[in-house]
Amino acid sequence: MPLILDSSPSPSPPLAAIEPSPATLRRREHHESDVIIVGAGILGTSLAVTLARQGRSVILLEKSLKEPDRIVGELLQPGGVQALEKLGLRDCLEDIDGIRVKGYEVIYYGSGVHIPYPANAAGEEAKGGKGALDGEKAEIRDVKRPEGRSFHHGRFIQRLRAAAMCEENISLIESTVTGTIKNGWTGQVLGVEAETKGKSQNVYFGQLTVLADGYASRFRKEYITHAPVSKSKFYGLELIDAHLPRPLHGHVVLGEGAPVLLYQIGTRETRALVDVPDGAPTASTANGGVKGHLRNVVLPSLPPCVQPSFARALDDGKVRSMPNSWLPPSTQQVPGMVLLGDAMNMRHPLTGGGMTVALNDVVMLRDLLSPANIPDLGDTTRVKRQMRRFHWRRKNLTSVINILAQALYSLFAANDPQLKALQLGCFRYFQQGGQCIDGPVGLLAGIIRQPFVLFYHFFAVALLAIWLVLCQSPVYRLPWTLVESVGIFWKACVVIFPFIFSEMRS
């Protein structure tokens, strides 16, 4: 039999007084519910809790309930923290040794620029107070700068799962889903087939099946036409007792190679993520492979205060990798089923926007799929209509985060003269301060949800890059410099417009 975890009220009444609800008995004995959710990750678990609190009966299936151990999904932007608050799940950030994140430090060839999250972007006045985490002290100010959180991914997941197990309307089951069950005439998805560790087969039925099985989804090919595109990998190390140039901030280190991310995930632990493009010559076998690249190329480019802990982590040999994938969003019109989370939409993790997108998707689905809007989730016509609305309504946030992640990566991993000029223009733009940092970091944080603002700042960077080239060029090279300027502007268009067009498709 599969491991089934239902809620256990505390303190517990005498066993004789415990009488499961009809919905609980239906889930437990007949494997039937209103909603089946495949994948107890960020989106799956938070969606399960949200729907359960609306009175829906939910079966949540996860192949392993052990604490996940990943090298991404460890930095939650302020827009994601706000979404957790709306969902009533902000307490899941407590007791996981989480770290406050106040903004970023971008280091360009040794020179740094401070990019704090924008003041009063959330329209709040109090700092700390109710909901303060990990020893925060209440402090009242005229304005508040929003904060993100960084943490060990697995600890946050386990807190979300614990919240799900406290809900009477959820059955959390450890079982590997192997396929969907369809109506042979209509194609409607009726439920899923699953296999437990004991190799026993089970079936689960629901009015709506949500597939949220992550970046390595086994169902993606079956239900959407797009395939993920991956051109690089993140190689992750866990640094112990690292000294960051600016504590409580994420760090982006730019140099000759692709970008390096540094951010604290615990009291003593700091995550280092090194982007290595596919086929990078410095990571070839002849040059010592990836470890040779990390030691010979990356290590010397890091801030001196970080180098000792990075070298120790490298000597320990615990280097793990994960592909950096791009997958544009798409609508699904299969009756009885929706594909969500990384299974449906991914972007480069450079900007740390994945969890923010997932949690805000849940906030939107909470309203679109509420009993007031859809009393019966078996009404597939109405569900499909609401999911099409979901596809377009989420654009204000998700298109910003998706496009920004891909465009910034193109600039930060610059590998030709035009991209290098845009990279320098981006750094000089940040150095201007004011709206030149508040706008971009507000977009990255998931606070500013206006695609036009992204368009404006991106081309402001391009024009500044052209101006820098013109100013640095001698007069006699002016004709050639003008040609270079056109090339830079053209490269900017080539970088951003494909991602804009991908967001405009249905």
Side-chain angles (χ1 to χ4, degrees):
M1 291 291 293
L3 174 61
I4 302 178
L5 302 175
D6 290 306
S7 61
S8 54
S10 180
S12 298
L15 291 177
I18 299 176
E19 186 172 336
S21 67
T24 300
L25 288 174
R26 194 166 137 247
R27 293 194 304 271
R28 187 179 296 168
E29 297 179 2
H30 303 290
H31 293 181
E32 294 179 355
S33 64
D34 297 326
V35 185
I36 294 172
I37 299 178
V38 179
I42 300 292
L43 186 140
T45 309
S46 56
L47 181 61
V49 172
T50 299
L51 296 178
R53 290 176 179 175
Q54 292 181 332
R56 307 287 194 186
S57 176
V58 181
I59 292 176
L60 177 59
L61 301 169
E62 170 57 43
K63 63 182 179 181
S64 174
L65 294 178
K66 293 181 180 179
E67 183 175 308
D69 185 15
R70 295 180 59 188
I71 62 170
V72 296
E74 297 173 316
L75 195 154
L76 183 63
Q77 298 290 357
V81 175
Q82 293 172 7
L84 272 181
E85 292 175 346
K86 293 177 182 178
L87 296 171
L89 291 170
R90 193 179 190 275
D91 59 343
C92 292
L93 292 174
E94 297 178 0
D95 302 322
I96 58 173
D97 194 24
I99 302 298
R100 297 158 56 197
V101 180
K102 297 184 175 183
Y104 282 84
E105 179 82 2
V106 176
I107 301 172
Y108 178 78
Y109 289 91
S111 298
V113 61
H114 180 212
I115 307 178
Y117 290 128
N120 206 29
E124 301 173 356
E125 295 183 356
K127 180 176 182 180
K130 183 178 180 180
L133 304 180
D134 299 331
E136 295 176 53
K137 294 181 179 180
E139 181 180 359
I140 305 300
R141 293 182 179 176
D142 292 333
V143 295
K144 176 187 176 182
R145 290 187 182 272
E147 294 179 352
R149 287 294 182 277
S150 55
F151 39 71
H152 288 270
H153 175 83
R155 296 177 187 174
F156 180 49
I157 291 289
Q158 294 302 85
R159 288 283 289 164
L160 289 173
R161 291 174 179 173
M165 290 168 59
C166 291
E167 295 295 327
E168 181 184 3
N169 290 329
I170 297 177
S171 292
L172 175 56
I173 303 172
E174 187 175 52
S175 192
T176 301
V177 175
T178 56
T180 54
I181 302 170
K182 301 176 186 176
N183 182 312
W185 293 99
T186 65
Q188 178 179 344
V189 174
L190 305 175
V192 298
E193 297 174 327
E195 184 179 274
T196 64
K197 290 182 178 179
K199 302 300 181 184
S200 61
Q201 300 291 327
N202 290 280
V203 292
Y204 300 90
F205 295 96
Q207 294 176 320
L208 178 64
T209 299
V210 177
L211 303 177
D213 56 335
Y215 77 96
S217 172
R218 67 189 301 163
F219 300 102
R220 184 185 294 123
K221 290 182 180 179
E222 184 177 357
Y223 292 109
I224 63 176
T225 58
H226 306 304
V229 176
S230 177
K231 297 182 179 180
S232 69
K233 289 183 179 179
F234 258 151
Y235 288 85
L237 296 92
E238 188 173 296
L239 315 185
I240 303 299
D241 296 330
H243 298 285
L244 296 176
R246 192 175 293 274
L248 304 183
H249 286 70
H251 293 68
V252 183
V253 182
L254 304 177
E256 289 300 329
V260 178
L261 300 184
L262 301 166
Y263 51 91
Q264 197 174 349
I265 57 174
T267 303
R268 298 188 60 200
E269 304 87 11
T270 294
R271 176 67 68 205
L273 292 176
V274 180
D275 186 89
V276 180
D278 295 345
T282 53
S284 65
T285 304
N287 289 311
V290 171
K291 287 191 176 181
H293 173 82
L294 297 177
R295 190 175 299 278
N296 301 325
V297 178
V298 176
L299 179 59
S301 70
L302 297 176
C305 58
V306 178
Q307 291 182 14
S309 57
F310 189 91
R312 289 195 301 270
L314 196 54
D315 290 338
D316 288 342
K318 297 178 182 178
V319 181
R320 293 181 295 158
S321 67
M322 188 170 184
N324 297 323
S325 301
W326 158 247
L327 177 66
S330 58
T331 55
Q332 306 103 48
Q333 293 299 297
V334 178
M337 185 280 300
V338 292
L339 196 69
L340 296 172
D342 283 352
M344 182 269 289
N345 180 205
M346 292 186 285
R347 78 290 307 150
H348 197 286
L350 173 69
T351 56
M355 290 189 293
T356 297
V357 167
L359 292 169
N360 278 276
D361 280 353
V362 174
V363 171
M364 190 170 294
L365 289 168
R366 176 190 63 181
D367 300 329
L368 291 172
L369 300 182
S370 69
N373 288 320
I374 306 182
D376 179 10
L377 289 174
D379 185 345
T380 58
T381 301
R382 186 174 291 185
V383 170
K384 288 196 295 181
R385 186 186 307 123
Q386 292 296 80
M387 291 309 298
R388 179 165 288 278
R389 289 173 179 165
F390 167 75
H391 175 78
W392 293 109
R393 285 186 186 179
R394 71 195 291 268
K395 294 292 183 183
N396 282 342
L397 172 67
T398 59
S399 66
V400 166
I401 293 179
N402 290 340
I403 295 169
L404 180 63
Q406 298 305 119
L408 266 185
Y409 175 70
S410 297
L411 270 58
F412 287 177
N415 57 3
D416 64 38
Q418 291 80 26
L419 287 175
K420 281 290 185 183
L422 289 167
Q423 185 187 77
L424 174 61
C426 185
F427 184 73
R428 296 287 183 244
Y429 191 76
F430 292 155
Q431 287 182 316
Q432 304 301 309
Q435 281 300 313
C436 294
I437 59 173
D438 285 352
V441 78
L443 294 165
L444 181 146
I447 298 169
I448 298 176
R449 306 183 178 196
Q450 302 172 36
F452 180 77
V453 175
L454 169 60
F455 187 85
Y456 166 81
H457 285 289
F458 184 83
F459 280 99
V461 166
L463 293 176
L464 179 58
I466 291 171
W467 174 251
L468 292 173
V469 169
L470 290 171
C471 291
Q472 295 170 1
S473 177
V475 176
Y476 69 87
R477 292 191 74 252
L478 184 59
W480 175 245
T481 304
L482 291 174
V483 173
E484 288 180 335
S485 300
V486 172
I488 292 171
F489 190 81
W490 173 252
K491 178 64 73 171
C493 295
V494 168
V495 165
I496 198 169
F497 278 115
F499 301 121
I500 291 176
F501 293 148
S502 71
E503 290 291 328
M504 295 171 63
R505 296 183 303 189
S506 61

